[in-house]
Amino acid sequence: MEHYKGLKPSRRNFLTGAAAVGGALAGSRLSAQTADPLIVNPQPWRQDLGAGVDAAPYGVPSKFEADVIRRDVPWLTADAVSSVNFTPLHALDGIITPNGLCFERHHGGVAVIEPSEHRLMINGLVDKELVFTMEDLMRFPRENHVYFLECAANSGMEWAGAQLNGCQFTHGMIHNVQYTGVPLRLLLEEAGVKTEGKWIMVEGADAAGMNRSIPMEKALDDCLVAFKMNGEALRPEQGYPLRLVVPGWEGNMWVKWIRRIEVGDQPWHAREETSKYTDLLANGVARRFTWEMDAKSVITSPSPQAPITHGKGPLVITGVAWSGRGTIPQVDVTTDGGMNWHKARISGPSFDKSMHRFYYEMDWDGAPLLLQSRAHDSTGYVQPTKDALRKIRGENSIYHNNGIQTWAIDADGKAENVEIS
Ligand code: MTE
Ligand code: CO
């Protein structure tokens, strides 16, 4: 019996081969010497009964997936309370991030809020100031949308050159979740925004009391006050019981544990929009209010944490792409550092301001590769190289690094974070 060596150039060969193996099994014509013991011997999981229902009333992943976890970079922050961990992008597929793997970014730790004691207040330039309970919010029409949340600091450690070895760390400050929530517009309409009301300030109930200014136009457009993620209640670390969803805009504005919305006629110039989340240019001027997340992509496998282990032959290259301005109609992949680009195949739903999954299948001859992906978004914008980005933005930036990522694959299939353009 022969083990699978990878798809032959012609898939018909493979299918004929599979049929031949199937036939052999049915006729029990396998010889003991050539047979794989894992196929011919009864395994423990076949001999004993398994655990019954309710062994885990809330299901958990297989113990063999114990490596697929959020991870932090200990030297990045002084403590875990004002810190970040990263989504294991290298181990995921499709477009939805499982709730337990969504990266966390807190400035004052996770607030633990009893939902019956949670309140959302709207005050300021409104006809009537309002306080909502969670029960009140459940009586408004809700919507479901899949959106990515990317921290503006994602890839921030990579401005001056390749640093962290793995897409979990270079690109893992992102998750893509289906939210259920009430359009913020409906709540603002309920309060009645006065004509001078041009901005809102959103504030969290956590110890950090995180607050940001958002222009009224965006607040009335597609923001959601969300209470469910991927069908279940928000996780505590994602803002239970209530968070703001600000589609396509930097993650910092997605205030978790949201408790107050103030309507005003000007932005508040809060800490998170002055000393943080501004981009210092080479000439010393800082860009402000850079809310929209530019189109970006990354190859998630192969990558430093997901090397090629199967040797030459058929190789599936896959990754994710997203844009804060719309959908991703096209992703290109290069295997030679940008000399030749190939159109990748996008598979799965293409939602506005959501992650897209792409694949590029090739026959690997075992030679070293320089892998890159390049996203095009529905506005026609094309993801730039890091050099092109630095030409405009200099090297002092932390936020909004959407440059093209390179993985160098060696002849053993090992991958490393490098920079070539
Ligand atoms: N909201 C509150 N109340 N407190 C916070 O510390 N962190 C912000 C934002 N909202 C934060 C917050 C930042 S910087 C980001 S990137 C996102 O939440 C992270 O969301 P997540 O933890 O669900 O990934
Ligand atoms: Co952030």
Side-chain angles (χ1 to χ4, degrees):
M1 193 184 75
E2 217 192 317
H3 263 267
Y4 175 61
K5 299 262 169 49
L7 280 175
K8 299 275 155 46
S10 145
R11 276 153 209 255
R12 191 142 28 94
N13 284 351
F14 165 68
L15 292 175
T16 333
V21 171
L25 278 175
S28 297
R29 283 186 277 104
L30 284 179
S31 77
Q33 294 95 311
T34 55
D36 181 342
L38 287 169
I39 269 288
V40 295
N41 297 340
Q43 301 303 320
W45 47 88
R46 178 71 198 268
Q47 295 172 53
D48 293 322
L49 294 173
V53 296
D54 271 351
Y58 192 103
V60 292
S62 160
K63 64 179 180 183
F64 304 110
E65 298 294 316
D67 262 2
V68 182
I69 51 172
R70 303 186 278 223
R71 288 177 197 277
D72 67 354
V73 175
W75 54 261
L76 261 186
T77 54
D79 60 43
V81 168
S82 181
S83 192
V84 62
N85 60 20
F86 301 86
T87 304
L89 291 176
H90 62 287
L92 303 180
D93 216 318
I95 66 163
I96 296 294
T97 315
N99 288 344
L101 295 176
C102 288
F103 87 94
E104 310 166 69
R105 172 78 176 104
H106 328 299
H107 294 69
V110 176
V112 178
I113 301 177
E114 150 75 61
S116 67
E117 290 174 10
H118 189 67
R119 298 291 182 271
L120 174 65
M121 170 179 177
I122 300 186
N123 70 327
L125 297 175
V126 288
D127 296 336
K128 52 181 186 306
E129 301 193 324
L130 293 173
V131 174
F132 301 98
T133 63
M134 289 302 291
E135 202 174 36
D136 295 336
L137 295 175
M138 297 309 143
R139 302 174 69 182
F140 283 85
R142 14 187 135 127
E143 291 183 8
N144 297 301
H145 296 276
V146 179
Y147 294 124
F148 76 83
L149 178 166
E150 183 184 17
C151 180
N154 201 20
S155 315
M157 287 79 78
E158 305 288 311
W159 268 104
Q163 179 163 212
L164 298 173
N165 220 18
C167 65
Q168 176 164 19
F169 306 110
T170 55
H171 290 74
M173 285 165 84
I174 188 165
H175 47 65
N176 202 58
V177 160
Q178 178 178 255
Y179 294 96
T180 308
V182 176
L184 177 55
R185 173 179 44 85
L186 298 182
L187 303 182
L188 289 169
E189 279 170 7
E190 190 73 12
V193 174
K194 292 198 190 302
T195 33
E196 322 86 87
K198 296 290 178 234
W199 289 79
I200 60 166
M201 186 271 285
V202 286
E203 179 186 82
D206 54 333
M210 252 215 38
N211 65 332
R212 285 288 301 249
S213 311
I214 298 176
M216 186 60 72
E217 213 183 2
K218 180 69 173 174
L220 297 177
D221 179 15
D222 55 1
C223 291
L224 292 176
V225 173
F227 38 85
K228 295 273 204 264
M229 60 191 290
N230 294 329
E232 65 176 1
L234 291 175
R235 292 290 172 91
E237 52 274 42
Q238 261 71 45
Y240 181 88
L242 207 58
R243 96 171 297 166
L244 189 66
V245 168
V246 191
W249 288 23
E250 60 189 19
N252 186 259
M253 307 174 86
W254 297 46
V255 165
K256 303 191 274 191
W257 312 289
I258 187 170
R259 67 178 290 272
R260 191 164 73 92
I261 299 169
E262 186 172 335
V263 177
D265 57 358
Q266 288 171 54
W268 273 256
H269 307 292
R271 171 185 178 274
E272 306 287 320
E273 51 206 24
T274 50
S275 97
K276 306 291 174 203
Y277 300 98
T278 53
D279 309 312
L280 184 59
L281 302 177
N283 63 5
V285 173
R287 301 195 312 170
R288 295 193 60 200
F289 296 143
T290 47
W291 302 305
E292 272 178 330
M293 299 308 291
D294 297 307
K296 186 165 167 182
S297 68
V298 66
I299 290 174
T300 53
S301 178
S303 66
Q305 298 156 288
I308 306 172
T309 53
H310 55 59
K312 292 180 197 179
L315 169 65
V316 174
I317 297 171
T318 186
V320 282
W322 61 93
S323 166
R325 298 197 179 87
T327 59
I328 299 287
Q330 186 181 332
V331 179
D332 308 319
V333 167
T334 177
T335 61
D336 54 17
M339 284 189 286
N340 298 286
W341 289 94
H342 315 277
K343 225 186 227 185
R345 188 167 58 83
I346 293 175
S347 175
S350 168
F351 297 124
D352 206 42
K353 305 178 179 74
S354 160
M355 267 190 191
H356 292 59
R357 170 64 57 176
F358 66 86
Y359 299 95
Y360 177 69
E361 290 91 5
M362 69 177 287
D363 202 34
W364 186 43
D365 61 5
L369 304 171
L370 286 172
L371 293 183
Q372 299 179 326
S373 62
R374 179 172 73 185
H376 301 241
D377 77 11
S378 46
T379 70
Y381 173 93
V382 182
Q383 185 184 358
T385 62
K386 290 187 182 175
D387 280 344
L389 201 57
R390 276 189 295 245
K391 219 172 249 171
I392 305 166
R393 304 264 302 281
E395 282 190 31
N396 300 325
S397 275
I398 298 169
Y399 308 108
H400 297 280
N401 179 359
N402 69 319
I404 290 174
Q405 174 67 44
T406 312
W407 306 126
I409 312 287
D410 70 13
D412 295 329
K414 285 205 282 303
E416 205 187 325
N417 180 7
V418 300
E419 207 184 285
I420 56 167
S421 56

